[in-house]
Amino acid sequence: MIKIEKYTSLKKFNTFGIDASAQQFGLVESVEDLQNFIHQKQQTFFILGGGSNILLTQDIQGLVLKNEIKGIELVEEHKESCTVAVGSGENWHQFVLWTIEHNLGGIENLSLIPGTVGAAPIQNIGAYGVELKDVFERLEAVHLQTGELHTFDLNDCQFDYRMSVFKKKYKGLFFITKVFVKLSKKGFHQININYGAIQKILQEKNIQNPTIKNVSDAIIAIRSAKLPDPKVLGNSGSFFKNPIIEQNHFLKLQKAFPDIVFYKVSEDQVKIPAGWLIEQCGWKGKTIGEVACYEKQALVIVNLGEATGFEVQNHAQKVMDSVFQKFGIVLEPEVNII
Ligand code: EPU
């Protein structure tokens, strides 16, 4: 049964550390509890995972359901790979550590990403050359109006850069309960160390044939050096997506800013790191009141202590305005603003 509390502070449930509250709050520990609840109440609610990709700009007037569905289970085993089913309320990084401990490969590059397993498919989390979609097999989700359990395979999810069907036509319609990933077994790992910073660390440690544990450790070191720990400084990782612009626009910018950092994504499209754009506008380390752009990675907006969601949103808007003025590029938040 789901026990409902009244007027609960959400401060410890969002990594930005914003002190908003929920009018009603309950923990979901099983699929059955959720289904029973939907059948009895027919009430709309807001689902909270690890709270690592949201900015709360107001109190939530309805019911907040916090996902606590746990469990990690090996469900299928083949010669080279196996399928693992994970409860959506598991912490993502703890799950990555579990895979390393069991010598299962595929998500070591996604070490130390905050949030829950259930949130991972919603925005197709990605880092250091790997995205969730690369290991994703299927997921189960409860329809929030009918209570029915649905299965979504790779195609159904329509994954793209920080995007899935759960941010588009099924936004707010499903509660993801279980995620199935396909991982490689010992001897069949495909190590991905194309990212320069990973190679640098491995070289420094004189590691020639890295294990998945070596890669995970390298990523943990890189992230810890560049990204603020939400327990110390409230934040939601990258605040904006890296914008993709047309080649013509890019060529004009490159003339004016010869040092512009870019990645070609297709014949006529180029991706520009938002962190670079923001730094060029003078925002890196810049503080207004209780909010700042992080001094080591301008793309991360941090709560210096007692910021409200509204102040963070204002800060983000100012950053967007200056990037648009200087480069003619519209930055799009990666964080869900509520
Ligand atoms: N840069 C700057 N100034 C900055 C930050 C970045 O000039 O303050 C430039 C640098 O040239 C750097 C380049 O931007 O080489 C790229 O920066 P970085 O390697 O830190 O990666 P990113 O593009 O800023 C993306 C993801 C991160 C992910 C890293 C590594 C997005 C929105 N962000 O960041 O994901 O960890 O790549 O793969 O795609 C997240 O989504 O919350 C997140 C942290």
Side-chain angles (χ1 to χ4, degrees), residues 44-57:
T44 54
F45 42 78
F46 176 84
I47 305 160
L48 189 61
S52 61
N53 206 37
I54 53 167
L55 174 65
L56 295 166
T57 59

Side-chain angles (χ1 to χ4, degrees), residues 185-285:
K185 283 170 49 176
K186 190 177 168 190
F188 299 97
H189 298 324
Q190 289 175 335
I191 301 284
N192 181 335
I193 50 167
N194 296 334
Y195 207 88
I198 307 178
Q199 286 176 10
K200 193 163 161 253
I201 291 193
L202 294 173
Q203 266 162 19
E204 276 165 14
K205 294 199 166 166
N206 220 348
I207 297 171
Q208 257 115 48
N209 293 307
T211 61
I212 55 172
K213 168 97 171 58
N214 295 145
V215 176
S216 171
D217 287 345
I219 302 249
I220 290 172
I222 298 168
R223 289 189 75 104
S224 311
K226 219 161 41 172
L227 299 171
D229 177 353
K231 288 194 197 93
V232 181
L233 262 188
N235 75 89
S236 278
S238 304
F239 196 93
F240 301 101
K241 290 192 211 177
N242 286 334
I244 294 170
I245 61 171
E246 299 301 317
Q247 175 83 358
N248 287 344
H249 186 176
F250 169 68
L251 291 175
K252 275 187 210 147
L253 288 178
Q254 200 181 29
K255 261 201 189 130
F257 307 96
D259 296 336
I260 190 166
V261 183
F262 64 98
Y263 317 99
K264 214 172 157 136
V265 288
S266 68
E267 274 315 302
D268 46 9
Q269 286 188 315
V270 178
K271 192 189 255 187
I272 315 286
W276 184 86
L277 296 167
I278 297 168
E279 182 174 348
Q280 294 303 305
C281 294
W283 282 99
K284 196 173 190 171

Side-chain angles (χ1 to χ4, degrees), residues 104-310:
L104 296 173
I107 53 173
E108 55 280 0
N109 290 43
L110 304 180
S111 296
L112 216 61
I113 295 184
T116 54
V117 167
I122 294 180
Q123 64 152 339
N124 180 29
I125 57 169
Y128 307 102
V130 174
E131 287 182 327
L132 177 77
K133 74 170 169 51
D134 303 330
V135 296
F136 181 88
E137 208 171 85
R138 63 185 192 275
L139 64 78
E140 289 175 359
V142 170
H143 192 289
L144 291 175
Q145 270 141 29
T146 64
E148 270 170 29
L149 193 66
H150 291 236
T151 299
F152 292 81
D153 66 16
L154 183 64
N155 273 337
D156 298 330
C157 290
Q158 297 174 20
F159 289 127
D160 204 341
Y161 168 61
R162 297 291 190 278
M163 188 49 80
S164 78
V165 74
F166 303 105
K167 281 182 90 170
K168 292 190 288 194
K169 75 171 169 177
Y170 293 147
K171 193 172 175 172
L173 256 191
F174 284 94
F175 188 120
I176 295 171
T177 53
K178 211 183 248 189
V179 178
F180 295 74
V181 291
K182 190 175 169 188
L183 301 170
S184 58
K185 283 170 49 176
K186 190 177 168 190
F188 299 97
H189 298 324
Q190 289 175 335
I191 301 284
N192 181 335
I193 50 167
N194 296 334
Y195 207 88
I198 307 178
Q199 286 176 10
K200 193 163 161 253
I201 291 193
L202 294 173
Q203 266 162 19
E204 276 165 14
K205 294 199 166 166
N206 220 348
I207 297 171
Q208 257 115 48
N209 293 307
T211 61
I212 55 172
K213 168 97 171 58
N214 295 145
V215 176
S216 171
D217 287 345
I219 302 249
I220 290 172
I222 298 168
R223 289 189 75 104
S224 311
K226 219 161 41 172
L227 299 171
D229 177 353
K231 288 194 197 93
V232 181
L233 262 188
N235 75 89
S236 278
S238 304
F239 196 93
F240 301 101
K241 290 192 211 177
N242 286 334
I244 294 170
I245 61 171
E246 299 301 317
Q247 175 83 358
N248 287 344
H249 186 176
F250 169 68
L251 291 175
K252 275 187 210 147
L253 288 178
Q254 200 181 29
K255 261 201 189 130
F257 307 96
D259 296 336
I260 190 166
V261 183
F262 64 98
Y263 317 99
K264 214 172 157 136
V265 288
S266 68
E267 274 315 302
D268 46 9
Q269 286 188 315
V270 178
K271 192 189 255 187
I272 315 286
W276 184 86
L277 296 167
I278 297 168
E279 182 174 348
Q280 294 303 305
C281 294
W283 282 99
K284 196 173 190 171
K286 193 165 164 180
T287 299
I288 303 177
E290 294 282 302
V291 188
C293 288
Y294 191 51
E295 59 194 3
K296 295 182 198 158
Q297 163 53 294
L299 183 52
V300 179
I301 297 185
V302 292
N303 172 3
L304 298 173
E306 299 300 323
T308 63
F310 187 66

